Amino acid sequence: MSKPIVAVVGRPNVGKSTLFNMLAGQQISIVKDTPGVTRDRIYAEVTWLDKTFTLIDTGGIEPDSNDIILTQMREQAEIAMETADVIIFMVDVRQGLVDSDGKVADMLRRSKKPVILAVNKVDNFDLMMSDVFEFYNLGIGEPIPISSTAKLGLGELLDEVTKHFYDLPVDDEEDERPRVAIVGKPNVGKSSIVNKLLGENRVIVSDIAGTTRDAIDTTITHDGKEYVFIDTAGIRRKSKVKEDLERYSIIRTVAAVERADVVIVVIDAIDGITEQDAKIAGIAHECGKGVIIAINKWDAIEKTDKTIYEYTRLIRETLAYMAYAELIFVSAVTGQRLPKLFEIIDTIIENRTLRIATGVLNEIMIDATAMQQPPSDKGRRLKLYYITQVAVKPPTFVIFVNSKDLMHFSYTRYIENKIREAFGFRGTSVKMLIRERKEKEQ
């Protein structure tokens, strides 16, 4: 089941990023051990009560005239309407109702997506409510007063946002078909790969618009089994600014990745692996999906007997945090190795739903701690009490310890690697959650 996507839209300086950072909280720090993932985070996973969703900051407007502001706000609204399930439209109580707010509100109203109107910078609810009520004139429902900086009204806002999750079309639970997103920079050959796979399989394609988003899903049959390919090519945006374009393509990538079981990250063999490739791969990693790195245009490379090893080494080094990802060298032009993709997808899907008995996990953990002592700090040593698997897709494990602070990232990874040595989990990320238990709870 993919997580709902919530996008924040609004004029410059209304406080979108402050709200984003406040809601994303500690989440922003996950980036430190994943090199190449965007420094200016534009998406994050947020949990409110029992609901988890992906929050997207459409942001990025720094214009110098009202015309540009309106044009870029319209673009923001378009991208939000295209990818989000719920939209937070943010306005500023101090600036009051502005002409461009009205024009964007008209667009959002026509989108038929749920829109929550957040009136920011309301530092005193008693004194400022009459100014808040002015925003009823936008005609998109009840304005919710908040203050991002003072953390006021955020609970009410999140209640309102998550209320709409119940109304979302549920991905057809009966639909067991593997969902595969093909992502990558522009012009790496994503569409060519899909077209080649289609051609080889002589399938009549019915392009049904994705039920929950506007991406086009393509069904491909291989050996009698159906796979759904999620297209991220989408609309080519006319934007003068490279950052904007990159931001939009990343938002679209996040939306596609969220809906997939397995993500194929396509890299251009001629360009080699770039920072943008690493960012895109990082999205699949953080969303906990199965990952295949497909190096396309392999037919166009002059090769010696060492070329493939050199390439593999470079990619593994750049994406060191996702050593589990499967690598395959393909050509959309000649069709080289493309059929093998289906075999890898099947294996990854099997690994994503693998469950391991608690007894076996604890044996692995006991052996691992015997081989490499847990770290200690100022005379306190980390104790690992118990490990159990709590979920699949991706496989998720909880380790109970005496102190979360002592459980360094590197030791968590060490335990993860021991589990992978025993069970493989090739192609899929796994999640390791650390829970603290005081000594006396034992």
Side-chain angles (χ1 to χ4, degrees):
M1 181 68 198
S2 57
K3 291 194 288 288
I5 291 180
V6 177
V8 189
V9 174
R11 278 180 299 110
N13 307 321
V14 293
K16 294 189 298 293
S17 298
T18 316
L19 176 72
F20 176 81
N21 292 335
M22 198 61 78
L23 296 181
Q26 295 313 103
Q27 243 80 34
I28 301 288
S29 65
I30 21 186
V31 218
K32 65 178 181 303
D33 18 77
T34 47
V37 180
T38 43
R39 276 166 293 289
D40 52 330
R41 290 302 301 278
I42 52 182
Y43 68 97
E45 190 177 273
V46 175
T47 300
W48 174 245
L49 305 176
D50 57 343
K51 307 275 186 313
T52 299
F53 60 91
T54 298
L55 182 68
I56 287 180
D57 176 10
T58 57
I61 308 181
E62 285 304 329
D64 47 8
S65 84
N66 288 336
D67 295 350
I68 299 177
I69 289 188
L70 184 57
T71 315
Q72 293 198 321
M73 273 192 69
R74 282 189 172 137
E75 282 196 355
Q76 271 188 17
E78 269 172 34
I79 202 98
M81 293 184 311
E82 187 187 321
T83 55
D85 296 300
V86 180
I87 298 165
I88 297 175
F89 180 32
M90 203 166 187
V91 291
D92 178 343
V93 75
R94 292 185 196 154
Q95 293 174 19
L97 194 50
V98 179
D99 189 33
S100 55
D101 288 336
K103 292 184 170 138
V104 173
D106 290 342
M107 278 177 73
L108 294 174
R109 199 170 36 244
R110 286 196 296 271
S111 77
K112 303 283 185 280
K113 296 268 173 106
V115 180
I116 314 296
L117 179 59
V119 184
N120 194 22
K121 305 189 187 173
V122 183
D123 302 325
N124 185 320
F125 283 20
D126 297 336
L127 294 177
M128 301 169 90
M129 277 323 270
S130 55
D131 299 329
V132 170
F133 292 145
E134 181 194 2
F135 290 94
Y136 268 112
N137 294 323
L138 287 173
I140 48 176
E142 185 179 346
I144 297 180
I146 64 165
S147 166
S148 300
T149 40
K151 298 189 187 176
L152 297 173
L154 299 188
E156 288 78 356
L157 175 67
L158 290 169
D159 283 345
E160 200 52 45
V161 166
T162 52
K163 196 192 292 177
H164 291 281
F165 295 171
Y166 295 110
D167 307 333
L168 296 178
V170 179
D171 292 345
D172 190 358
E173 293 299 330
E174 306 306 299
D175 190 348
E176 289 294 309
R177 298 177 301 175
R179 306 178 75 80
V180 184
I182 295 205
V183 302
K185 295 179 312 196
N187 308 322
V188 290
K190 300 187 289 287
S191 309
S192 317
I193 288 177
V194 174
N195 292 340
K196 191 72 174 174
L197 291 171
L198 272 171
E200 298 293 340
N201 295 285
R202 317 242 180 285
V203 138
I204 296 119
V205 194
S206 50
D207 281 341
I208 310 148
T211 40
T212 53
R213 312 277 189 301
D214 307 324
I216 300 290
D217 292 352
T218 307
T219 303
I220 297 181
T221 305
H222 176 77
D223 282 354
K225 181 175 175 181
E226 286 192 349
Y227 300 78
V228 179
F229 279 76
I230 300 163
D231 183 23
T232 55
I235 313 150
R236 286 273 175 269
R237 285 206 170 273
K238 296 189 290 293
S239 173
K240 312 279 180 291
V241 196
K242 179 177 173 293
E243 286 78 44
D244 276 3
L245 258 181
E246 191 170 300
R247 186 180 199 95
Y248 290 152
S249 69
I250 282 184
I251 289 175
R252 196 174 274 117
T253 300
V254 172
V257 166
E258 280 291 5
R259 296 179 54 221
D261 302 303
V262 176
V263 179
I264 299 177
V265 181
V266 184
I267 289 174
D268 185 323
I270 300 163
D271 295 348
I273 186 162
T274 64
E275 189 183 344
Q276 175 100 4
D277 294 324
K279 274 184 189 177
I280 292 168
I283 293 171
H285 172 69
E286 284 188 16
C287 291
K289 303 297 179 176
V291 185
I292 299 171
I293 310 284
I295 297 90
N296 188 27
K297 309 185 186 174
W298 195 237
D299 55 310
I301 294 287
E302 292 283 325
K303 290 180 269 299
T304 68
D305 53 353
K306 296 199 177 55
T307 317
I308 212 156
Y309 298 108
E310 278 302 299
Y311 254 83
T312 303
R313 187 183 58 77
L314 264 174
I315 290 167
R316 290 291 186 210
E317 273 176 16
T318 312
L319 305 177
Y321 56 90
M322 48 198 301
Y324 57 83
E326 291 283 356
L327 284 193
I328 183 170
F329 295 83
V330 300
S331 161
V333 175
T334 65
Q336 180 187 15
R337 293 199 195 90
L338 284 184
K340 195 167 166 36
L341 279 173
F342 294 103
E343 192 184 306
I344 301 175
I345 291 165
D346 289 347
T347 306
I348 292 177
I349 286 196
E350 214 170 283
N351 287 340
R352 283 175 60 71
T353 51
L354 196 59
R355 282 192 182 272
I356 298 168
T358 300
V360 179
L361 281 171
N362 282 284
E363 278 173 31
I364 293 171
M365 187 177 80
I366 290 163
D367 289 350
T369 50
M371 279 161 58
Q372 188 174 320
Q373 271 224 319
S376 61
D377 184 42
K378 300 188 181 70
R380 285 186 73 211
R381 183 167 294 285
L382 170 69
K383 285 184 191 157
L384 282 69
Y385 297 127
Y386 185 74
I387 181 170
T388 185
Q389 183 174 354
V390 291
V392 292
K393 295 183 182 177
T396 305
F397 302 92
V398 172
I399 304 178
F400 291 96
V401 299
N402 62 336
S403 161
K404 269 174 107 162
D405 297 342
L406 290 173
M407 187 75 172
H408 297 165
F409 173 73
S410 56
Y411 202 74
T412 307
R413 186 177 274 181
Y414 165 70
I415 299 288
E416 178 189 323
N417 288 341
K418 287 294 173 201
I419 293 172
R420 284 186 182 278
E421 274 172 32
F423 296 99
F425 286 116
R426 282 181 58 185
T428 183
S429 58
V430 306
K431 264 193 180 160
M432 308 293 285
L433 306 173
I434 310 302
R435 294 275 181 274
E436 203 167 281
R437 252 194 198 175
K438 296 289 172 270
E439 310 274 348
K440 53 182 176 295
E441 287 180 40
Q442 280 311 298

